Amino acid sequence: IPKTADGRVLFTAAYEGNFRPITRLYAVDLEGHEPEALLPRAVQGNASPDGKYLAFAPKGIVEYYWKRYKGGWHEELWLKDLATKQLTQATDYVGENADPLWADGKMLFVSDRVKGHANLFAMDPVTKATEQLTNFTDFDVQQPRTDGHTVVFEQAGHLTALDLATKKTWRVDLRCTGDGWKTAPRTVNPKEWIQSMALGDGGKTAVFEARGDVFTVPLAKPAEGQDLTRTPGTRERMPRLSPDGSKVA
């Protein structure tokens, strides 16, 4: 969770404004006092642990799947000097510049400035010198978080960690144990999972789709329904009866 140097939690919200809400960056203490708006506009933001800078994106659409977008809503990162209140633009690349973090006195962020692939970069807030930390060429780096020594992010559907000292990355192996009751064989009443149905045979028979199987139910007289497909490994959809009720498509 992003925090200020004095321990307040940072968050963005757009609850202020009567006509057109504007997303702002706020800070709130853990006692739940009134949040303080730190900037007139910001869609993302993070404060340096030493309390010197506030990195923020004043505009943009915070969506990881906006690949290679270079329109007017691209994210750009700015720095606010918390001592002098001076604002300076940190990134001039027209494209993705998002998810600002802080580690070892540098601003870390995600950008697709190299060949259109989103990777992790580090920038010196004083000189603006930028270093590329990861070099993935298949899937983008997404949603990074750091404790100041290691950065963990999503990449290719997995969690990946980056050691900031050695610049080495490795995949984080997650193992979640449980009793597995949801995947164990069990009896399920299909009436709770009906997704489509149709009538045929002059209204004497109904056909249902439920949990990927096709069921027929006679309506002329009380009788049990019949599972026609019995294929738990595949899904049948949108069944239809022939006019005489002899076949199901």
Side-chain angles (χ1 to χ4, degrees):
I1 299 176
K3 292 184 178 180
T4 61
D6 58 5
R8 293 184 296 168
V9 174
L10 292 172
F11 68 97
T12 56
Y15 64 85
E16 291 187 284
N18 296 324
F19 172 65
R20 180 175 296 172
I22 297 175
T23 303
R24 295 186 171 98
L25 183 66
Y26 296 87
V28 64
D29 58 35
L30 298 182
E31 286 72 35
H33 293 105
E34 185 70 18
E36 175 192 0
L38 303 180
L39 295 161
R41 180 191 293 268
V43 296
Q44 287 185 324
N46 211 325
S48 61
D50 57 12
K52 292 182 178 180
Y53 296 100
L54 183 64
F56 66 97
K59 66 179 180 69
I61 304 296
V62 185
E63 300 288 1
Y64 66 86
Y65 50 79
W66 270 40
K67 294 181 180 295
R68 301 170 181 84
Y69 173 73
K70 296 182 180 297
W73 279 98
H74 75 275
E75 284 189 78
E76 59 188 26
L77 295 178
W78 288 62
L79 291 172
K80 179 179 181 179
D81 189 311
L82 296 177
T84 65
K85 310 303 181 185
Q86 181 179 0
L87 302 177
T88 57
Q89 185 172 347
T91 60
D92 56 7
Y93 165 70
V94 178
E96 182 181 8
N97 307 278
D99 298 309
L101 304 169
W102 291 92
D104 195 25
K106 294 183 178 181
M107 178 184 71
L108 312 183
F109 63 99
V110 174
S111 180
D112 62 357
R113 60 185 59 198
V114 178
K115 297 183 179 180
H117 298 291
N119 276 284
L120 196 64
F121 293 80
M123 175 183 290
D124 187 300
V126 178
T127 65
K128 304 298 186 296
T130 303
E131 175 189 7
Q132 184 172 348
L133 302 180
T134 63
N135 189 29
F136 294 102
T137 58
D138 49 2
F139 296 96
D140 293 345
V141 169
Q142 301 171 8
Q143 305 180 58
R145 299 294 184 270
T146 184
D147 62 355
H149 306 285
T150 304
V151 184
V152 177
F153 49 87
E154 179 188 351
Q155 197 275 331
H158 300 273
L159 288 180
T160 301
L162 165 69
D163 187 306
L164 292 172
T166 63
K167 304 298 188 297
K168 292 183 178 180
T169 61
W170 68 93
R171 182 169 292 178
V172 180
D173 186 19
L174 294 180
R175 297 182 181 273
C176 300
T177 58
D179 53 17
W181 67 270
K182 285 191 174 182
T183 58
R186 65 192 188 279
T187 301
V188 177
N189 192 332
K191 73 176 184 179
E192 305 295 336
W193 302 88
I194 294 174
Q195 294 182 289
S196 67
M197 65 87 62
L199 295 173
D201 194 17
K204 296 179 182 179
T205 307
V207 61
F208 296 89
E209 170 202 346
R211 287 183 62 86
D213 276 2
V214 175
F215 298 82
T216 57
V217 178
L219 302 179
K221 58 182 180 179
E224 292 186 0
Q226 181 182 1
D227 187 347
L228 296 181
T229 52
R230 298 182 180 273
T231 52
T234 58
R235 181 184 181 187
E236 288 81 35
R237 300 186 60 200
M238 305 296 291
R240 292 295 183 269
L241 276 163
S242 61
D244 62 1
S246 63
K247 297 179 180 180
V248 177

